Amino acid sequence: MAWTTKQMLLAIMMVVTGSINTLSTKWADEMTAVNSEGEDVPFNHPYFQTEGMFIGEMLCMLTFYIMVCYARRQRQGQVEMTPSNDQNPRFPKKIFFVPAMCDTLATSTMYLGLTLTYASSFQMLRGAVIVFTGLLSVAFLGRKLRYYQWIGICVVIVGLVIVGISDFVGGSDTEGYTLNGIITGDLLIIAAQVITATQMVVEEKFVTKHNVPPLLAVGWEGVFGFIVMTILLVPFNWIPAGIFSSNPRGVLEDIPDAFIQLKNNPALIGPIIGNIISIAFFNFAGVSVTKELSATTRMVLDSVRTLVIWVVSLIVKWQKFQYLQPIGFAVLVIGMMLYNDVVILPFLRSRGCIRDDLPEDTEPVIASSSSGRSESLEKDGIDNSNATVEPL
């Protein structure tokens, strides 16, 4: 069935805003400004940028309530008004505290890794979340993975290895990057996926049973994350960070220095605002695409987003072409399709090549995602409305 204009616009919005999400963060990392010591240096403030991400997530809550008000206005004048349970959901807000803590640690670690490696590698290596989520769900949720999910995990690992090798081979080919820095950045991004996987398992165990609307869940995690990150930024101004610090004082984060650089180069405001707005629109578009189309379409669009980020990185010369990277990306996509039981296996079943119908009591542990939000399978077709970071 052909897509409607609305569905097409939602798909384009998801790809564009999702790409801007990563590209704007990397753009800010690549821009230079005079710091507090009078030196013209890159804007490397990952924890400051993490605050921007949480502001974007809080905007999702605003979007949710705007949609609720709009729905109520649409029903005004009708003879019979059908109540909606989703408009006034009741749930304990504290359930979002632990996921928000995981989100804070994972996102700040990934942003730190992004300052050291390529934007395309940053996006591709996030596919490691499938591996860790699958393993943790077996250990802590008592899930039993099907054979194709184990195959998918193995294929994803192969894809991650290929992407890592491509960075290792071409690590010294691009100006501004060092081989040690790229390897460190890649490892930080992969390590952050363990935390993200923990967040997804926690959300599935404690959050999803409350049936919280996706945008509202993202918004509350943004609120808790913003509060905690703001508190942490105070001691971060005095904690030495060694090789992981690029600010004059050598601490984890130097907020006064960040504002001085923003003042000396107002153009930095552009990518920071772009990151905030893109996160809000990306989460909205992701949820809408799942409802209007399908979770399968959402996963495919996530893959397109990764491809866009890689192509743009090549065009603006943030990195040089390395033939292993598209190969690794293709392997990652195949692994995700196998794990989530989309496209490949359904096609083979329709052709009669395999006969392994999914039992009624078996659910995929992780499906496609939003800006972070991977979603556990619900009866309404929305994949895990509460997670934070997408596989790709």
Side-chain angles (χ1 to χ4, degrees):
M1 184 177 68
W3 285 6
T4 64
T5 302
K6 177 183 177 182
Q7 291 171 338
M8 184 67 70
L9 291 175
L10 287 172
I12 294 174
M13 181 189 296
M14 179 178 173
V15 173
V16 172
T17 56
S19 301
I20 291 175
N21 184 8
T22 297
L23 292 172
S24 60
T25 304
K26 188 61 179 178
W27 183 22
D29 293 340
E30 294 289 324
M31 296 179 71
T32 62
V34 177
N35 63 10
S36 55
E37 297 292 323
E39 301 172 341
D40 191 32
V41 296
F43 185 81
N44 288 337
H45 294 279
Y47 300 101
F48 179 81
Q49 289 181 287
T50 301
E51 285 278 63
M53 186 207 71
F54 286 127
I55 294 174
E57 289 186 357
M58 287 192 290
L59 290 178
C60 292
M61 184 183 296
L62 176 62
T63 303
F64 170 78
Y65 284 114
I66 290 175
M67 293 172 64
V68 168
C69 292
Y70 177 77
R72 287 175 178 171
R73 290 179 62 90
Q74 289 291 99
R75 291 200 308 275
Q76 285 181 357
Q78 296 181 0
V79 177
E80 295 183 2
M81 297 179 62
T82 304
S84 173
N85 293 329
D86 288 339
Q87 291 186 6
N88 296 292
R90 296 182 180 276
F91 56 90
K93 307 300 186 294
K94 63 183 179 181
I95 61 176
F96 293 106
F97 182 76
V98 174
M101 296 306 93
C102 295
D103 194 7
T104 301
L105 183 56
T107 302
S108 57
T109 302
M110 284 191 290
Y111 278 4
L112 179 59
L114 181 58
T115 64
L116 301 171
T117 190
Y118 307 120
S120 57
S121 298
F122 166 84
Q123 195 67 29
M124 293 180 190
L125 292 173
R126 293 171 77 172
V129 72
I130 282 181
V131 177
F132 300 118
T133 304
L135 298 177
L136 289 176
S137 65
V138 170
F140 297 102
L141 297 180
R143 285 289 178 81
K144 293 181 180 180
L145 300 186
R146 298 268 289 172
Y147 76 92
Y148 54 79
Q149 292 175 315
W150 287 111
I151 294 175
I153 287 176
C154 293
V155 174
V156 167
I157 292 175
V158 172
L160 294 171
V161 171
I162 295 175
V163 172
I165 292 176
S166 71
D167 287 348
F168 183 81
V169 172
S172 58
D173 293 342
T174 306
E175 184 179 355
Y177 294 92
T178 63
L179 181 58
N180 288 338
I182 290 174
I183 294 175
T184 302
D186 289 352
L187 291 176
L188 285 172
I189 294 168
I190 293 176
Q193 304 318 304
V194 180
I195 307 169
T196 301
T198 302
Q199 174 187 347
M200 292 179 179
V201 171
V202 170
E203 287 174 340
E204 183 166 348
K205 189 171 182 64
F206 299 106
V207 178
T208 55
K209 63 182 179 182
H210 293 283
N211 195 27
V212 184
L215 289 177
L216 189 59
V218 174
W220 275 109
E221 287 189 10
V223 169
F224 281 109
F226 181 81
I227 293 173
V228 172
M229 193 74 240
T230 301
I231 295 173
L232 289 176
L233 285 176
V234 176
F236 281 6
N237 275 275
W238 286 275
I239 299 176
I243 61 174
F244 295 108
S245 174
S246 299
N247 53 68
R249 295 170 49 226
V251 292
L252 274 175
E253 185 58 278
D254 192 339
I255 295 301
D257 182 68
F259 281 107
I260 289 174
Q261 286 193 283
L262 286 172
K263 178 182 177 181
N264 292 330
N265 186 2
L268 280 166
I269 298 176
I272 292 175
I273 296 298
N275 184 38
I276 294 173
I277 296 176
S278 66
I279 286 174
F281 276 95
F282 176 66
N283 280 282
F284 167 76
V287 171
S288 301
V289 163
T290 304
K291 288 183 177 180
E292 293 285 336
L293 297 167
S294 67
T296 302
T297 303
R298 185 173 181 174
M299 200 203 77
V300 172
L301 292 176
D302 263 334
S303 302
V304 173
R305 179 167 69 105
T306 303
L307 186 61
V308 169
I309 292 171
W310 176 63
V311 171
V312 172
S313 297
L314 292 175
I315 293 174
V316 299
K317 298 182 179 180
W318 285 347
Q319 67 181 87
K320 292 184 179 180
F321 177 78
Q322 168 53 246
Y323 72 93
L324 285 176
Q325 198 164 46
I327 295 175
F329 169 68
V331 174
L332 283 171
V333 172
I334 292 173
M336 285 199 312
M337 288 181 175
L338 289 172
Y339 185 92
N340 292 314
D341 193 20
V342 297
V343 181
I344 298 176
L345 291 177
F347 174 78
L348 293 177
R349 292 190 189 102
S350 66
R351 297 289 179 175
C353 299
I354 58 175
R355 297 182 180 277
D356 63 340
D357 294 335
L358 191 66
E360 292 182 359
D361 61 344
T362 303
E363 295 180 352
V365 179
I366 179 176
S368 69
S369 58
S370 80
S371 106
R373 311 248 157 214
S374 171
E375 307 174 355
S376 65
L377 196 61
E378 299 287 349
K379 292 181 180 180
D380 59 3
I382 300 179
D383 298 5
N384 193 17
S385 52
N386 307 308
T388 306
V389 180
E390 67 286 355
L392 282 184

